[in-house]
Amino acid sequence: MVAVVSTIAYIPFHVWTANRADIAPRSWGDVVLASAWPVIGAFVVRGRPRNPVGWLLMVPASYAPYLNLSLYAVVSAEIADHPLPGADFAAWIGTWGFTQYFVVVPLLLLLFPDGQLPDRRWRFAAYGIVFMAALAALGAMFRDGGIDISDDVENPFGIPGATWLGYLTLAGAFATLLPGTAIGVAALVVRTRRAVGVRRTQLQWLVLGGLFLVVCWALSFGSDGRVAVDVLFALGLLGPPVGIAVAMLRHRMFDVVVVLNRTIVYAVLTLVMVGVYAGLVVGVGRIAPASTVGFGAVAVIALLAAVGRGAVQKAVDRWLFGHRHDPYAVVARVGRHVAPASEPVEALQRLVDALRRALRLPYVAFRGTNGAHGSPAVQAVSGSPVAGWRTVPAQALGQDIGELHVGIRPGNERWTPEEQAAVEEVAARAATLAYAAALVADVARSRARIVVAREEERRRLRADLHDGVGPSLAGTAHQLDALARRIEASGQPELADRARAVRDRLRQTVTDLRSVVHGLRPPILDQLGLTGALRDLVGGYETPCCTAELGTGLDELPAAVEVAAYAIAAEAVANAVRHSAASELALVAGVHAETLVVEVRDNGCGMPVYPHAGVGLRSMGERAGEVGGRVDVLPCPGGGTILRATLPGGTS
């Protein structure tokens, strides 16, 4: 506020002084530097007092006092009848006060947004910038000659004949503002290339501001006319603070949203009140100069302020905090966002995302307790966790399903009753979705258990048939064959033929039984185990060259998972060999964190852009779905295809 008021005072003070003394023209770049930069810096310091970015932006707050002190020194020396108090100190400040901004621009580019250098290698550049700026300030403090805005006012502490100090100031200025700024922009570009997500977007705004600054400065050096140079210089100085302001407003940097809310409301009200007051006083004053309109104007302004504050606050709240005062709008917006979801878990995630956006919250999360019938808790998170949050219970059908955690906005701002009602309504919907998600998950687990039990029973039945009934029937067939030979030897060929016919039918029954046994479960799984069965799948091929990378734990899986994994791998290998035109094929399988992952990779022609879901892909997906898994077909880096089956590997 002091910087802004001082800058506003400087403009008429300069006009008044310029009409009475020979001084340097006013620079709009000085006005921008002395006002816009400290205002943005004040917001940053309020939210992040330990971040040097805000304090760097605050440095130009002393620029307007320097300008006013320079004018004060001129007034004392050339306009006033007698020297004014403190004129020597004012003149001394007027010789070097401008050097402060030499260090601000390059260091701001180096340190934005977290106050840290990109890495240790940049510290020498930062030290060099500070050193050259200090030399420039030191040279200006004691150089011999006039102050910055007037050659007729001498530096009271100047060293006579030390003209080299002026060159030192000039060298320091160019070193910091030209190569120093270029180094800062380079550091910002490096940091931006390394950053991801919101941080990258934030940096890009300042990159744009920094590049705008450099371009405007370059154009100013090649422009004709003082006005054009001054305007370009001022526009360039607007680049960095505007870039920071956009990053703050758009991406909630430095936790200044609450401060901005109050500032914007009162700034708008102040402008409206001042405008109305000035209009009433000037308008009525022309009609009735002796009127006491001022008292009436104050009353009108007070009424407008009382009535208008609510409207202004509501508009600013909507911009910064969303629909915080309209719970029905929040619920309606959340409902529209949830509607396209295809399953309860997705709907729950969409719900917390929509609530965070509708109320401009930093963080929203649903933390479920135990689901239906003891199923695992359902979770959904949106945004980044903050230091504190409010907890809203979530109930459905009379049961405590979980809690909705709503992150507290910066400044520990209190909730409005409307906001509380909206969050409670959304929490109830979240509980219903979580309950539904738990039921769906429970049904899926029940189906998986049924499939596992079916496969285990098939394995037991296969073992009983293969090891019990099958050998018994085969032994009976051998006995009938021996009986037929004895009957024939006793001279009864007709009875011997009948015995052989019964033997043949029994052997056919054994063959049919073997087919039934093989259909219940691939026999290779019992012979070699899943590890050996998978390795056998890729054995014997010359083209493509097939390899197998098999981890541990493959032979300790439930029967249903073994069958599904083998069937999917067999189909995937067959498809790759027949259709991929690959020269290399790899079968990779392993159990990680109770999850079986089977991959078939090839370097062939790859899948088409819009693959046709044939019988093979469909059957593999059904096999995986039966045990609660899934099958994904992905492009392979460098060309080819990856078919990945992810199956639950835990025992049931």
Side-chain angles (χ1 to χ4, degrees), residues 24 38 45 52 81 115-116 134-135 151 173 178 207 269 300 332 350 375 404-405 423 489 491 495 566 591 628 635:
V45 169
D81 295 334
Q116 303 292 328
L135 285 182
D151 292 334
L178 293 181
V207 168
L269 287 175
V300 172
R350 283 173 169 265
S375 59
L404 191 65
H405 295 176
V423 173
L495 291 177
Y566 178 76
V591 179

Side-chain angles (χ1 to χ4, degrees), residues 571 575 579 607 610-622 633:
E571 183 67 26
N575 286 344
H579 306 302
M607 295 289 290
Y610 301 103
H612 176 66
V615 176
L617 285 176
R618 187 164 55 250
S619 66
M620 286 188 284
E622 291 173 353
V633 181

Side-chain angles (χ1 to χ4, degrees), residues 404-482:
L404 191 65
H405 295 176
V406 181
I408 299 175
R409 297 191 189 95
N412 294 318
E413 187 182 25
R414 296 179 62 185
W415 275 3
T416 64
E418 295 85 358
E419 197 170 14
Q420 177 75 27
V423 173
E424 290 176 352
E425 178 64 26
V426 172
R429 296 194 176 198
T432 303
L433 290 174
Y435 188 83
L439 289 178
V440 170
D442 188 62
V443 170
R445 282 189 298 274
S446 298
R447 185 182 64 178
R449 285 194 295 268
I450 291 172
V451 172
V452 169
R454 182 194 66 188
E455 291 298 331
E456 292 292 349
E457 183 62 21
R458 282 183 173 183
R459 180 161 61 179
R460 185 194 64 78
L461 182 58
R462 179 186 182 282
D464 291 344
L465 292 176
H466 182 272
D467 299 334
V469 178
S472 177
L473 293 177
T476 303
H478 283 297
Q479 292 175 356
L480 284 174
D481 188 40

Side-chain angles (χ1 to χ4, degrees), residues 26 68 83 178 230 337 354 357 439 480 514 540 573 586 623:
R26 179 184 63 247
N68 287 310
L178 293 181
D230 189 26
H337 192 73
R357 285 194 290 267
L439 289 178
L480 284 174
R514 286 200 183 101
V573 170
R623 286 274 191 178

